[in-house]
Amino acid sequence: MSKQPTYFFHFIILLALLLACFIINICLGSVSISFFDTLKVLFGSAAEDSSSSYIIWQYRLPKAITAILVGGGLSLSGLLMQTLFRNPLAGPYVLGISSGASLGAAIIIMGSSIFSGFFAISTFNDITLAVASSIGSFLVLSLVLIVAAKIKDTMALLIIGLMFGSITAAVVSVLSYFTKAEKLQQYIFWSFGSLGNLSWSQILIIAICTIVGILLSIISIKPLNAFLLGENYAKSLGIQLKKSRYTIIIATGLLAGCITAFAGLIAFVGLAVPHITRQIFHTTEHKIQIPAVLCCGSILMLICDTIAQLPGSVSVLPINAITSILGAPVVIWLLVRKRKMIF
């Protein structure tokens, strides 16, 4: 009971940081907009036809909302995978979920220039890209879980997950070799990762998938806590292992698949953020961890996006490059301090 006030103040600080990063992200860019002008636009007191209103409503606000959804969703999917496999190095990217999503996206983007029939007549739009990417992530994760049922060594499972990722990368390479130049360029730019240029309808799709993933995670709080102590302990508590595992799979597939479809491949967020939150809160209780990773992931992604857009410049760096530059040292630091990690 004594820790509850501490957690309360932790969340107050995180929410304040989230709000500050959100406002800063909207203010900064190729055109600097003051804090007060930003507030006027957001609260509707600025002229609708002003340049500031157009920039914020048509570009910066959608990008900031996307950053919150992407950062929170990837962080939550990483937490789910680390808990399910009881491995601090697990994550959607390591186990091939994002690789499967990228394969689905590659088939939709580049398949029309190679195959006839369905791929030739299918239209490249929001729904088909999200569905294909989600199916790809589900298939790869299902294969990993099938292997996991026979192999209990978690390190071997990680290696197998990497092998699935290599297989999907090989298929993407074959598609890239035979596809047309414009389709290949489209896929390459998608793989760089980007939070901008998304319409409100695309953001709505990401939001729906993220909300469903969060709800499924909340439903699975008790099984997630039980999985930390092993499957035998979970059985003793009356947890239905198969049902709980499938629920976690669906949540992870929706989060990683849909986010990868629209934002591209974004590395390290799902792996690093759950560990950062454990260091902050010093608990593995998922009732605390789930909202914590959502806040921390959103803050990290807003910071990375602010850096990527190079305030004062028209250039925008790939978001995947920024998350890797910031995330890799965090992962190295965590590995060095592995014996002190709470897991």
Side-chain angles (χ1 to χ4, degrees):
M1 297 296 293
S2 61
K3 289 188 177 181
Q4 294 304 318
T6 303
Y7 292 146
F8 174 77
F9 287 117
H10 275 67
F11 281 115
I12 291 297
I13 293 173
L14 285 179
L15 290 175
L17 285 175
L18 178 59
L19 180 60
C21 292
F22 180 77
I23 297 297
I24 291 172
N25 183 267
I26 295 178
C27 291
L28 298 180
S30 58
V31 178
S32 180
I33 302 176
S34 69
F35 173 76
F36 294 105
D37 288 340
T38 300
L39 292 181
K40 288 180 181 179
V41 172
L42 293 178
F43 287 101
S45 58
E48 295 183 359
D49 58 348
S50 65
S51 60
S52 298
S53 296
Y54 179 82
I55 292 172
I56 290 176
W57 287 106
Q58 299 299 322
Y59 181 72
R60 294 189 183 178
L61 184 60
K63 186 160 60 68
I65 294 175
T66 303
I68 292 175
L69 295 173
V70 170
L74 289 179
S75 301
L76 180 56
S77 65
L79 174 66
L80 296 177
M81 289 294 92
Q82 290 174 9
T83 301
L84 180 63
F85 292 102
R86 298 178 61 201
N87 194 302
L89 300 181
Y93 182 78
V94 174
L95 293 182
I97 301 174
S98 294
S99 299
S102 65
L103 175 60
I107 292 175
I108 291 297
I109 295 175
M110 299 186 292
S112 60
S113 63
I114 301 175
F115 304 105
S116 58
F118 171 77
F119 295 105
I121 62 176
S122 62
T123 56
F124 175 69
N125 56 39
D126 303 347
I127 302 299
T128 55
L129 185 59
V131 170
S133 184
S134 297
I135 291 175
S137 64
F138 283 144
L139 290 177
V140 173
L141 184 56
S142 298
L143 291 174
V144 172
L145 288 178
I146 291 173
V147 176
K150 300 181 179 180
I151 298 179
K152 301 302 181 182
D153 185 0
T154 55
M155 291 305 297
L157 181 59
L158 285 175
I159 295 174
I160 291 172
L162 290 173
M163 294 304 100
F164 282 130
S166 298
I167 293 172
T168 57
V171 176
V172 172
S173 298
V174 173
L175 291 174
S176 301
Y177 182 81
F178 289 103
T179 193
K180 296 180 180 179
E182 59 273 15
K183 292 292 184 179
L184 178 59
Q185 185 182 41
Q186 187 177 13
Y187 176 78
I188 290 175
F189 279 112
W190 170 85
S191 66
F192 284 161
S194 175
L195 302 178
N197 301 322
L198 293 181
S199 64
W200 286 108
S201 62
Q202 292 172 320
I203 295 173
L204 179 61
I205 295 173
I206 298 177
I208 292 174
C209 292
T210 302
I211 292 172
V212 173
I214 293 173
L215 293 177
L216 291 175
S217 301
I218 293 174
I219 294 172
S220 304
I221 286 178
K222 183 179 178 180
L224 287 168
N225 289 331
F227 276 130
L228 288 175
L229 298 176
E231 292 189 354
N232 292 332
Y233 179 79
K235 286 181 181 179
S236 68
L237 294 179
I239 302 297
Q240 298 181 12
L241 297 182
K242 187 174 181 180
K243 180 180 178 181
S244 300
R245 188 179 292 114
Y246 285 150
T247 302
I248 296 172
I249 291 172
I250 293 172
T252 305
L254 282 174
L255 292 167
C258 188
I259 288 173
T260 303
F262 293 111
L265 297 173
I266 299 179
F268 288 106
V269 176
L271 176 61
V273 171
H275 295 302
I276 294 174
T277 58
R278 292 188 190 103
Q279 296 295 327
I280 295 174
F281 288 86
H282 298 283
T283 181
T284 55
E285 169 61 54
H286 284 80
K287 189 181 295 184
I288 303 297
Q289 280 291 309
I290 288 176
V293 296
L294 290 172
C295 291
C296 291
S298 299
I299 291 170
L300 177 63
M301 190 57 63
L302 284 170
I303 293 173
C304 291
D305 181 62
T306 302
I307 297 173
Q309 65 186 4
L310 295 175
S313 172
V314 296
S315 301
V316 179
L317 298 175
I319 190 66
N320 192 28
I322 304 301
T323 57
S324 299
I325 291 173
L326 295 182
V330 173
V331 175
I332 294 172
W333 174 70
L334 290 169
L335 289 173
V336 172
R337 300 182 71 251
K338 185 177 180 181
R339 58 188 177 86
K340 299 181 181 180
M341 290 170 60
I342 301 174
F343 197 83

